[in-house]
Amino acid sequence: MDARRIRAAVPGGEERTGRARRGAVWASAAVLAVVGAGGWLGLTGGGGRGNGAAPVSEAAAVADRLELPWPQEGQTSIEVEGVGSLGSKGGQEPVPIASVTKVMTAYVILKEHPLKGGEKGPEITVDEAAAQEAHSLSESSAPVREGQRLTQRKLLELLLLPSGNNVARLLARWDAGSQEAFVAKMSRAAAGLGMTRTTYTGASGLEATTRSTADDQLKLARQVMKDPVLRAVVAMRETTVPGVPGTITNSNRLLEKPGVIGLKTGSGTAAGGNLMWAVEVKSGTARHLVLGVVLGQRANTTPAEGLRAALENSGRLVDAVQRDLPAALAPRDGKPVRA
């Protein structure tokens, strides 16, 4: 990214596809299907065929019809709205998630200070700390000046598009008085969403002690995509800052693909490359929202290499979902797929 636009120096399994994963699904003793908020079906296991086992769920049947190019490292989880899980890979051990953390930061801010329609929200004054951190060469930051007054909506854009760590901490101080108090709110929000394997220790994701799983972050992705303002912001390709020439582009290059409407990148040395993504897939006259989380790509290399791997691997998943999901959702034996 052009240095005049923004300083963006970022902080420092076995593959299973389609039928290969089917063996693991069928080997599970039972199906555990949980209908979550917003009509989602979360699948954590599979049922057997024949021998008196419980029938296979519709979500498992759809997943079995797909040959997804699952990344060979890290963690990945994918779901289809109204259908359920397409599978999870990589286990449930919490790992650093870097700037994917900012999705929770934005969620808490909008939960505490909701915006409707085209509302821009209150003006927030940029403090000395945020202005000084704008010049950091060791972490991603957004170009803001001390005393500058920017709307809540604009700061959300600077939080999520260029992944401004300084903006994350500024919003935390504005909302809760300190980053520590804000982190407590993040933790309560995570608990409320059932994110039992997630620990937040900062608002930006800079700290490697902020850890989660792909499954947990998928729970958050479902929730944030229900907020029209957040959904609109994460789909933006670029934004501007008053007084700063040029544009600030979104670090999520997956938005270049048709149908992709979000969500958030994250990268760091320990975390590797991470991406929470959202894509709309057409199936006949219907549109299905598909959400995915990819964590831990090329961890312990460089942030740039990790992010590149996360974007490339997620891009292959998006391509496969867009290409093959409509056929996988097609009725079998005259019966439509249902949640």
Side-chain angles (χ1 to χ4, degrees):
M1 187 181 300
D2 192 329
R4 72 183 176 83
R5 296 181 180 179
I6 183 170
R7 298 181 182 273
V10 292
E14 176 185 352
E15 182 178 8
R16 295 182 187 173
T17 62
R19 296 184 181 88
R21 184 178 52 76
R22 177 174 56 193
V25 172
W26 290 173
S28 297
V31 172
L32 177 60
V34 181
V35 179
W40 286 81
L41 177 68
L43 178 70
T44 57
R49 287 185 284 191
N51 63 34
V56 179
S57 74
E58 295 287 358
V62 170
D64 188 51
R65 295 167 193 159
L66 297 171
E67 295 287 345
L68 295 177
W70 296 93
Q72 298 184 40
E73 60 183 331
Q75 298 180 20
T76 305
S77 294
I78 306 175
E79 289 187 350
V80 184
E81 183 179 29
V83 177
S85 174
L86 296 184
S88 296
K89 174 191 172 296
Q92 293 295 315
E93 184 68 25
V95 296
I97 61 173
S99 287
V100 171
T101 300
K102 295 183 177 77
V103 178
M104 178 59 84
T105 300
Y107 174 71
V108 172
I109 288 295
L110 284 170
K111 187 177 180 182
E112 298 283 324
H113 313 275
L115 300 177
K116 296 180 180 179
E119 291 180 350
K120 298 184 182 301
E123 289 191 338
I124 301 168
T125 302
V126 176
D127 59 20
E128 180 182 3
Q132 290 182 347
E133 290 164 358
H135 303 288
S136 174
L137 297 177
S138 61
E139 58 178 313
S140 57
S141 60
V144 295
R145 305 184 310 275
E146 184 177 0
Q148 190 175 22
R149 293 181 62 79
L150 298 172
T151 65
Q152 177 187 341
R153 169 65 184 255
K154 179 60 67 176
L155 287 173
L156 287 171
E157 294 172 8
L158 296 178
L159 170 75
L160 295 169
L161 273 66
S163 203
N165 286 355
N166 57 334
V167 172
R169 294 187 283 263
L170 171 62
L171 284 169
R173 291 190 294 270
W174 169 70
D175 172 78
S178 70
Q179 184 175 211
E180 293 73 20
F182 187 79
V183 167
K185 291 187 176 186
M186 296 172 73
S187 299
R188 288 194 293 271
L193 294 176
M195 299 167 64
T196 59
R197 293 179 178 268
T198 297
T199 301
Y200 289 109
T201 59
S204 69
L206 177 65
E207 304 83 359
T209 48
T210 289
R211 304 171 77 88
S212 187
T213 66
D215 282 357
D216 265 11
Q217 290 301 305
L218 203 55
K219 295 174 183 177
L220 176 60
R222 288 178 215 158
Q223 197 66 28
V224 301
M225 291 302 283
K226 296 175 185 177
D227 187 302
V229 171
L230 221 167
R231 186 165 175 153
V233 170
V234 297
M236 294 176 64
R237 299 281 294 275
E238 62 185 27
T239 188
T240 59
V241 180
V244 177
T247 58
I248 295 173
T249 57
N250 196 321
S251 59
N252 182 11
R253 297 198 311 274
L254 215 62
L255 289 169
E256 297 170 5
K257 290 181 175 291
V260 176
I261 56 174
L263 253 155
K264 183 71 187 77
T265 61
S267 61
T269 300
N274 306 287
L275 185 64
M276 180 187 288
W277 50 265
V279 59
E280 288 184 332
V281 178
K282 293 181 180 179
S283 178
T285 59
R287 287 178 179 268
H288 294 274
L289 177 65
V290 183
L291 298 173
V293 176
V294 174
L295 302 178
Q297 305 301 292
R298 303 294 294 152
N300 300 311
T301 57
T302 67
E305 184 176 348
L307 182 56
R308 182 167 56 251
L311 289 165
E312 290 175 354
N313 290 334
S314 296
R316 283 190 280 269
L317 287 168
V318 166
D319 290 344
V321 165
Q322 289 181 314
R323 182 185 64 242
D324 299 334
L325 184 61
L329 291 171
R332 296 294 197 275
D333 301 323
K335 296 179 180 180
V337 172
R338 60 187 182 279

